[in-house]
Amino acid sequence: MSLLSPKEVKLLTNPLNIDNPITTQVLGICSALAVTVKLKPAFVLAISVIAVLTIANVVVSLLRNAIPNRIRIIVQLVVIASLVILVDQVLKAYVYDISKQLSVFVGLIITNCIIMGRLEAFALGNKPWPSFLDGLGNGAGYGVILLIVAFFRELFGSGTVWDYPVFENIGLYSIGYVNNGLMILPPMALIVVGIIIWIQRHYSRELIEK
Amino acid sequence: MEELLNIFTKSIFIDNMIFAYFLGMCSYLAVSKTVETSTGLGIAVIFVLGITVPVNYLIENFILKKGALDWLLGDAAASLDLSFLSFIMFIAVIASMVQLVEMIIEKVSPSLYAALGIFLPLIAVNCAILGGALFMQEREYSSIAEASVFGLGSGIGWFLAVVGIAAIREKLKYSNVPAPMRGLGITFIATGLMGIAFMSFMGIKL
């Protein structure tokens, strides 16, 4: 007897693969790419988004029968904005340096389209438990892409992984290797995501656009 | 005046909302299939950014900032700091301003209203608008003129980017792109290349 039914497992794993919020649904790119210069801030942002998305999904799902259809957007925005304020205060209290690095991007979680998108598409029509799983899955799918992009940008741009100097320790610099400064610039995040999409669609042919 | 001009060019070319901060990417990718629709959304964004940034500037400086309520409550409010409320205030202002702008345009110019159509309500959840307000807060502009110029400039920068990519995508339809790259993938790469081109403006000061 497994803990989750097959349908519930799908809710969790689909966003990690063929239904990824960034590469397939094209949601939430706004706040995602600017923070991926290093792994640490990307990780913190990913955790924040997972927290906000999961809780917002559950809250809206609990309220779904009480929210009048006409004003649902503003209700959702208020729920999200209050959660983001909480996250922002927690980050400021415990990881102040990273919260400074993330600057406006914590606030921008409010307008992160993933959260609005999932609330509209899922939480408004489903019970709290599936909504919780959906939030967790989509948040994780978003986080995975963020971490992949950040890993490559940090590795090639600064030669480190999680601030650990990999290239220096294996002696690449002494044989003349130079960090690729281009990877630190914002446009490279787009190109890295473009390549991830290319690779993913190469393996999942059904996603290819006509 | 010089300072204003400087902020204006800086917000259009150097701190471009899309190429430097990736704000408003969702609608940027969604509407940039044709030049016509992207022009409509671009104009709407200029409009809304130009209005909401100064309004949020007033709210920030006369209500939310530390000691900002002095004009109303005197010294009693000197230590009052409401800035933790800024997210919820800004998003409320944006949502209501968008609604207001929509109603005014519908009344004053039905033809513009028909042209902007569905794009106006969409703008409430466009990250570029909230991003404009948050950057305004973070950079602490010293006057409302600077804030308005920044808002307008950011809007124009966004407009240029979205119309540019739409033109490229119209051309790309006739190119032989590798199948897995078609659509989204190639748009990302093209945006990245445009971003690199825009980086050449870096360091320009008037």
Side-chain angles (χ1 to χ4, degrees), chain A residues 23 30 89 103 108 113 186-187 209, chain B residues 22-23 26 84 127 138 183-184 192:
Chain A
T23 59
C30 327
Q89 300 288 323
S103 75
L108 285 173
C113 338
E209 290 168 44
Chain B
F22 313 110
L23 296 180
C26 310
F84 66 92
C127 334
E138 194 183 78
L184 194 57

Side-chain angles (χ1 to χ4, degrees), chain A residues 154-201:
Chain A
E154 186 175 347
L155 184 66
F156 293 118
S158 333
T160 57
V161 172
W162 200 270
D163 288 343
Y164 175 80
V166 186
F167 283 179
E168 199 181 316
N169 285 10
I170 55 174
L172 264 183
Y173 292 124
S174 52
I175 55 171
Y177 176 81
V178 178
N179 280 335
N180 184 354
L182 202 60
M183 291 300 273
I184 301 178
L185 299 178
M188 280 314 281
L190 288 165
I191 294 180
V192 173
V193 174
I195 293 169
I196 292 176
I197 293 174
W198 188 0
I199 295 169
Q200 190 199 15
R201 293 192 178 179

